[in-house]
Amino acid sequence: MLYRAFSRFLALALLALTILGAPLAPAAAKAPPVWAFEHSDLAPDPAFRFGRLPNGMRYIVRHNAAPKGTAEVRMQVDAGSLDERDDERGFAHFVEHMAFNGSAHVPEGEMVKLLEREGLAFGADTNAQTSFEQTMYLLSLPRNDPKLLDTALMLLRETASELSFDPAAVTRERGVVLSELRDGQGYALDNSKDQMAFLYPAAHFPGRLPIGTVDSLTNATAAALKAFWAREYVPAKTTLIVVGDIDADAVEAAIRARFADWPARAPAKRPAQGRVLVDQQGAAHVHLDPALSERVTVSRHGRWRKEPDTAENRRVALLRQIGYGVINRRLLRLSRAAQPPFRGAGLGTGEVFHIGRTTNLVIDTAENGWRTGLLAAAQVYREALAKGFTDAEVAEQVAGARTSIENAAASAETRSNDALVGAALHLLRDDKVPTTPASALERFNRHAASFTPAAVLAALRADAIPLENPLIRFQGRTAPDGGAAALTAAWNEDIRAPLRTSSGASTGTFAYTDFGTPGTIAADTTRADIGLREIRFTNGVRLNLKRTDLETDSVLVRLHIDGGEMLDTRDNPTATEMTAMIPTGGLGKHSQDDLQSLLAGRSVGTNIASSGDTFALGASTTRRDLELQLQLLAATISDPGWRPSADVVYHQSMTSFFTRRDATPAAALANTLPAILSAGDPRFTIQPPETYQALTLARLKADIGDRLAHGAIELTLVGDLDPDAAIAMVARTLGALPAREEDFRPYAEARQRSFTPTRGLTVIRHKGAANQAIVRYVWPTTDDSDPVTAIGLELLQEVTSIEVLDTVREALGKAYSPGAASSLSRVWRGWGTFSVNASVDLADVAATRAAIERTITDLAAAPVDPDILTRARAPMRERLANMLKTNAGWLALTERAQSQPDRIERYQKARERLDAVTPADLQALARRYLAPDQAVIALVLPEGAPAPVSAPISPAAPASYALPRKD
């Protein structure tokens, strides 16, 4: 299960890069309202049904057919780590785990199995979360089968009132919870804890992280956990949400039938949350860690404000959003300068639960650049509060807000289940009324004239706590000269410096609207089986066009250009390394910053990646902006800016990367294992830092410029579009470019990749917590050329994941999320891997190895158990059945329809091939590919831990790893 280490407030109070709205306070009355909208002038979306049972449990039901035939079920209990007493730290999260470990009518271990048989994959479709204030259970139903919904409601009722808390099950699950705590340790958590302790010394939450403490979890008894559950899991603190392609009347009746007899009990009062010290000021603090990039945070606290969700308060909140947006836009502009004073910066104000607010100015700087960055950011902050904003700056922010609201209104009828669940949760957690997108647009248009620079400045001044004599915190690798006192001295110097005038938003028009004579069509066919139109222009550009009605006013765009990683060679392994930085360099006629202003209010954008054998560009747009999006793509490949300012950004990011390269076990594994598996092939090996510092966009242009200018192109458009109009737009943009190569190149030599001939044990070192380790077994398999083998190995992956979850996690209690993965390449000839992975305590490495080896041996020794096969295959069937219910699914199917037509046929036959796989087939695959002596066994161990012996470990062998002694 998942837990949230930080609440919604921390995303801003710790990072201060986004603006959050204020949660509502109950109306002043003896009894609080059942729903926030009861005391608001905002009308809720009438498609939602809100109800409360006599026992106090609430529910929200909404019919929605996007995607069709599916549903989302959530049960939120308003009990989290803030409800724990001193000896109960971590209990809310521990109870969440116990919900999957037996109840009055569902034996231990059967809940997950039951759902897997119905097609819900554990983790992806069956999960839970614990935060400071809530615990939520999540079920994603792949079918709108009433029986499946009834099963979901039954399981949630068992969780609410019928859990068993068997002492033996608690003991087994304790290891899993402790492993989750262990996996979360590291420099990032230490940094956050330090920041919370500095900023909020009198608040309760820094000592109530949802994961708990080792002592409290170790000492948690079944009786104590059950007592916490019985006290906190009461109807009055519980809300059930069902959104999907369902009969709302039937669902409402089912909820009443399943939960009405849950006895009502008085809800426990949440313990005091402590205080935010409004008068805390003038202090400075330094926190160091070798893995941290340099950051300075300037903060001041204020009192929490009760602001009900009303039309007027939303108008004021939007004014604040615009104000913060302008300031952050100015800061962003500075970060894009040729010699930027900082890597990034942001100003924001966020709530600290219901006990205070914090305004933060956060500045991320290059090593030893904190003073320059602090001065520049302070100038922007002071100038904005003193002089306000220009009409152009406000207009840019208003345009962005208007487009977002207009797009939401246009696509309201096809909002996803997840989006509607999000609206329901926003009501429960923040008292935000789930209004209709159309009403939001009406309010925006009614108030738009009042969004003046003066009004924006007034709203911002009323919201932001002045950064006078602030709290200042430094984090990084090396302390500032002069220590903490230097931080305060620098700030005091900054606020006395003369103000400078910032440059405003760019003006002008987008320069890339004419690419020459529109292209003509050389071929135009339609695949009747899937309704896909395949077009080829005379300049060689291929277009795949699929119109859908799945998401109103939404169009997905994917462009593939020949080349990609095929251009990386052993002699030049970093040829395409900087590809993703191309948008940072802007276009020939516009910088990236200019583009942000020129295209404000338009639903366009682009990113580019070197991916396999192509350069892939992607975007999401609307019908209105489709042609502009195509113009932007055509300009990106025909006239990139190649500005050296992007080099600075890249070099700074690589400096940060190398500080964290092996800071955690996962980072060390990800950054080291590819080189080991590829026998040191430089294309898959991290190069020395100086190699990356020498890279530039000018060099990238020399390495890939020919492919951008001449390489074969395949464009795919999926969504709510007019096919003929879209074809004409492509003709005027990509179709009008100079002739391209007709076919994607074979790259026969570049596709060769060899698996290391060295098998057996290899040790990778990390610099994280001394008790953290990872065990990974990797076998070579094959490439993706045979669809039967591919789907067989995918099913074997699901079977193996279930098996190691049952052994390493449930039986041994050694790991939080062990699993298996099969990865077969379409790019590298003959290349494929099958891996089993577990993140464990250093002391448990030997036992984990034994369990994994026993699991793999058993797979080859006998056919798979029929029930395990059912549990593995059912979620795969449902994923196939639901793939084409979203635009994203259609895009994945059709994006290479002309250059790789076999992808469509493979999808069409996938269910038949999946169902044809037998237990004997899986056994044969395990014997063929998973031979024990063919695995690379990667052990990721902390620096200084003893290296293991390479001999196989028998199941009875004692653990041979221990933490180093501290004398």
Side-chain angles (χ1 to χ4, degrees):
M1 273 60 69
L2 302 175
Y3 77 92
R4 293 179 178 174
F6 311 105
S7 75
R8 62 188 183 278
F9 124 78
L10 283 174
L12 182 60
L14 297 184
L15 301 179
L17 297 177
T18 56
I19 310 302
L20 300 182
L24 306 178
K30 293 182 179 180
V34 176
W35 305 102
F37 53 77
E38 294 175 5
H39 288 203
S40 172
D41 59 352
L42 296 166
D45 183 343
F48 282 100
R49 292 194 183 191
F50 305 96
R52 185 167 77 161
L53 303 180
N55 60 12
M57 191 190 94
R58 297 185 294 174
Y59 60 85
I60 302 173
V61 177
R62 194 190 198 282
H63 174 266
N64 184 61
K68 294 180 180 179
T70 66
E72 297 292 331
V73 182
R74 305 285 187 270
M75 185 174 76
Q76 176 171 296
V77 181
D78 293 330
S81 58
L82 288 179
D83 296 280
E84 298 163 354
R85 296 166 183 167
D86 288 344
D87 59 347
E88 296 176 329
R89 283 177 287 181
F91 276 27
H93 179 235
F94 204 147
V95 166
E96 171 219 302
H97 275 247
M98 294 308 301
F100 295 82
N101 282 277
S103 63
H105 306 101
V106 182
E108 181 189 356
E110 287 302 313
M111 177 180 175
V112 170
K113 295 177 183 178
L114 175 62
L115 291 170
E116 286 174 335
R117 295 180 193 115
E118 293 289 347
L120 281 74
F122 182 62
D125 306 310
T126 305
N127 219 317
Q129 300 172 345
T130 303
S131 68
F132 286 104
E133 299 178 285
Q134 300 95 16
T135 303
M136 186 170 69
Y137 299 88
L138 309 86
L139 296 174
S140 296
L141 307 187
R143 305 183 311 281
N144 57 353
D145 178 358
K147 291 183 179 179
L148 178 57
L149 177 61
D150 186 65
T151 298
L153 296 179
M154 179 273 291
L155 293 174
L156 293 176
R157 173 61 195 275
E158 292 289 298
T159 299
S161 65
E162 308 298 321
L163 295 185
S164 299
F165 293 96
D166 177 74
V170 169
T171 298
R172 284 189 292 272
E173 196 64 24
R174 188 191 324 276
V176 177
V177 176
L178 286 170
S179 73
E180 191 174 355
L181 182 151
R182 180 196 63 245
D183 289 352
Q185 293 175 336
Y187 73 92
L189 181 59
D190 291 343
N191 185 48
S192 296
K193 286 181 175 179
D194 180 85
Q195 178 149 341
M196 286 186 286
F198 172 61
L199 289 178
Y200 305 105
H204 194 58
F205 71 88
R208 287 293 184 277
L209 295 185
I211 192 59
T213 67
V214 172
D215 286 346
S216 63
L217 296 174
T218 300
N219 295 319
T221 65
L225 291 170
K226 187 172 185 178
F228 177 87
W229 167 77
R231 182 182 80 224
E232 300 295 338
Y233 279 52
V234 300
K237 299 180 76 169
T238 304
T239 306
L240 195 68
I241 303 170
V242 181
V243 175
D245 196 2
I246 45 90
D247 180 328
D249 290 334
V251 169
E252 192 171 6
I255 292 172
R256 291 182 177 277
R258 186 63 71 176
F259 287 88
D261 62 348
W262 182 11
R265 296 198 308 276
K269 184 179 179 180
R270 176 166 289 167
Q273 296 183 40
R275 296 180 298 133
V276 169
L277 302 178
V278 176
D279 295 328
Q280 184 184 4
Q281 56 186 305
H285 177 67
V286 174
H287 176 75
L288 302 179
D289 191 283
L292 286 175
S293 298
E294 196 165 279
R295 166 178 287 184
V296 179
T297 304
V298 183
S299 310
R300 277 303 304 266
H301 303 314
R303 291 182 174 80
W304 180 68
R305 300 184 305 203
K306 295 182 178 181
E307 294 183 323
D309 189 18
T310 64
E312 174 58 17
N313 281 342
R314 287 198 181 185
R315 186 188 72 84
V316 173
L318 183 53
L319 287 170
R320 296 171 185 163
Q321 175 186 324
I322 293 168
Y324 287 113
V326 173
I327 293 175
N328 289 325
R329 180 71 175 87
R330 290 181 180 179
L331 293 167
L332 180 61
R333 185 175 295 113
L334 278 180
S335 73
R336 293 169 171 169
Q339 296 297 325
F342 42 67
R343 294 189 298 117
L347 177 76
T349 301
E351 293 177 338
V352 188
F353 303 102
H354 284 186
I355 57 175
R357 298 181 303 126
T358 300
T359 293
N360 289 325
L361 176 63
V362 179
I363 310 105
D364 291 321
T365 60
E367 187 75 5
N368 298 317
W370 68 269
R371 186 181 297 273
T372 300
L374 183 62
L375 174 61
Q379 279 277 337
V380 172
Y381 160 76
R382 292 173 54 219
E383 180 197 359
L385 271 294
K387 299 181 179 181
F389 315 116
T390 67
D391 290 331
E393 287 177 314
V394 170
E396 181 177 318
Q397 298 298 317
V398 170
R402 180 188 297 279
T403 297
S404 177
I405 295 170
E406 288 178 344
N407 289 349
S411 61
E413 297 306 312
T414 53
R415 281 175 289 172
S416 68
N417 289 339
D418 285 339
L420 294 169
V421 167
L425 292 175
H426 208 21
L427 170 66
L428 299 181
R429 298 175 180 181
D430 304 317
D431 287 347
K432 291 294 184 183
V433 180
T435 59
T436 65
S439 69
L441 179 58
E442 185 277 328
R443 287 191 300 274
F444 180 90
N445 288 332
R446 176 158 32 98
H447 297 304
S450 69
F451 301 152
T452 64
V456 169
L457 180 61
L460 183 67
R461 285 174 170 170
D463 187 63
I465 298 106
L467 297 177
E468 297 173 354
N469 197 21
L471 307 171
I472 307 176
R473 181 179 183 273
F474 174 94
Q475 66 185 57
R477 294 183 287 277
T478 57
D481 290 340
L487 300 172
T488 300
W491 177 262
N492 291 337
E493 178 184 340
D494 294 347
I495 61 174
R496 290 192 297 268
L499 286 176
R500 298 189 296 267
T501 301
S502 299
S503 57
S506 302
T507 59
T509 58
F510 186 59
Y512 296 89
T513 58
D514 186 355
F515 294 89
T517 303
T520 57
I521 294 174
D524 186 352
T525 61
T526 299
R527 290 192 55 146
D529 55 347
I530 59 173
L532 179 68
R533 195 165 172 183
E534 300 178 355
I535 295 165
R536 186 162 186 152
F537 290 89
T538 53
N539 71 343
V541 171
R542 308 179 194 199
L543 170 63
N544 305 313
L545 204 64
K546 174 61 184 178
R547 185 190 182 282
T548 75
D549 58 2
L550 300 172
E551 300 170 36
T552 305
D553 199 36
S554 175
V555 182
L556 298 184
V557 182
R558 183 69 53 82
L559 178 66
H560 286 278
I561 306 172
D562 177 74
E565 293 172 276
M566 300 295 95
L567 305 186
D568 295 331
T569 66
R570 290 178 179 270
D571 293 333
N572 186 13
T574 58
T576 66
E577 165 67 24
M578 283 188 70
T579 299
M581 300 303 298
I582 289 176
T584 307
L587 301 176
K589 299 177 182 177
H590 304 301
S591 69
Q592 183 188 32
D593 199 71
D594 291 338
L595 286 171
Q596 185 167 343
S597 293
L598 294 175
L599 302 179
R602 307 300 293 272
S603 300
V604 297
T606 190
N607 58 70
I608 181 170
S610 180
S611 178
D613 54 6
T614 69
F615 296 106
L617 294 85
S620 175
T621 187
T622 63
R623 287 175 298 195
R624 179 188 67 176
D625 288 331
L626 176 57
E627 183 157 18
L628 178 59
Q629 178 65 68
L630 294 171
Q631 291 169 347
L632 182 58
L633 289 177
T636 298
I637 64 175
S638 64
D639 190 25
W642 308 115
R643 284 177 175 79
S645 57
D647 301 344
V648 177
V649 176
Y650 174 77
H651 295 152
Q652 291 177 342
S653 70
M654 292 309 297
T655 297
S656 297
F657 165 78
F658 276 99
T659 65
R660 298 188 292 269
R661 177 180 178 179
D662 54 2
T664 65
L669 181 66
N671 294 321
T672 307
L673 187 59
I676 294 172
L677 299 182
S678 299
D681 187 330
R683 296 174 297 170
F684 311 103
T685 301
I686 302 295
Q687 301 299 307
E690 56 268 22
T691 298
Y692 300 95
Q693 295 299 329
L695 296 178
T696 64
L697 280 189
R699 177 175 165 182
L700 180 70
K701 179 180 180 181
D703 286 332
I704 76 170
D706 174 74
R707 295 295 78 209
L708 295 185
H710 303 112
I713 281 182
E714 187 162 3
L715 172 69
T716 304
L717 305 178
V718 171
D720 183 14
L721 49 80
D722 179 324
D724 291 333
I727 293 168
M729 293 174 190
V730 175
R732 292 191 292 268
T733 53
L734 294 165
L737 295 177
R740 315 290 299 195
E741 293 174 1
E742 291 190 1
D743 296 309
F744 289 80
R745 293 180 176 180
Y747 297 107
E749 183 177 351
R751 293 180 185 276
Q752 301 306 311
R753 181 178 182 181
S754 300
F755 196 92
T756 178
T758 304
R759 309 299 164 82
L761 200 63
T762 184
V763 174
I764 298 170
R765 297 293 181 176
H766 72 83
K767 297 176 182 176
N771 63 342
Q772 292 177 331
I774 295 177
V775 178
R776 178 172 291 183
Y777 283 64
V778 186
W779 289 266
T781 54
T782 185
D783 61 29
D784 193 44
S785 57
D786 177 25
V788 174
T789 300
I791 205 159
L793 283 170
E794 185 179 353
L795 183 55
L796 182 62
Q797 162 195 301
E798 299 300 320
V799 167
T800 308
S801 293
I802 291 173
E803 295 277 19
V804 297
L805 200 68
D806 286 347
T807 55
V808 177
R809 175 180 165 130
E810 301 301 339
L812 296 179
K814 301 300 185 187
Y816 167 58
S817 57
S822 173
S823 176
L824 310 185
S825 178
R826 287 189 68 99
V827 176
W828 316 109
R829 295 289 181 252
W831 180 267
T833 61
F834 192 99
S835 61
V836 178
N837 189 86
S839 177
V840 298
D841 192 286
L842 179 65
D844 294 327
V845 169
T848 302
R849 287 184 61 190
I852 291 174
E853 291 176 7
R854 183 168 57 249
T855 299
I856 297 301
T857 300
D858 290 347
L859 287 171
V864 175
D865 177 82
D867 183 60
I868 291 179
L869 181 56
T870 296
R871 292 161 52 198
R873 182 157 27 207
M876 290 180 63
R877 285 172 170 164
E878 298 296 348
R879 288 196 293 270
L880 287 169
N882 288 324
M883 176 177 170
L884 300 185
K885 293 180 179 179
T886 65
N887 284 345
W890 274 107
L891 182 65
L893 179 67
T894 62
E895 62 180 319
R896 297 291 299 275
Q898 295 185 54
S899 57
Q900 296 180 353
D902 65 299
R903 293 157 60 99
I904 296 173
E905 184 268 347
R906 288 176 69 142
Y907 169 75
Q908 292 171 327
K909 293 185 177 180
R911 173 62 186 267
E912 175 186 342
R913 289 168 173 156
L914 174 62
D915 289 345
V917 180
T918 67
D921 293 333
L922 294 179
Q923 182 184 11
L925 287 170
R927 287 178 172 175
R928 179 180 178 184
Y929 291 113
L930 307 186
D933 62 349
Q934 292 302 301
V936 171
I937 307 168
L939 303 184
V940 188
L941 307 177
E943 291 184 335
V949 296
S950 59
I953 302 172
S954 68
S960 58
Y961 305 84
L963 296 178
R965 289 178 176 270
K966 293 185 177 180
D967 296 326

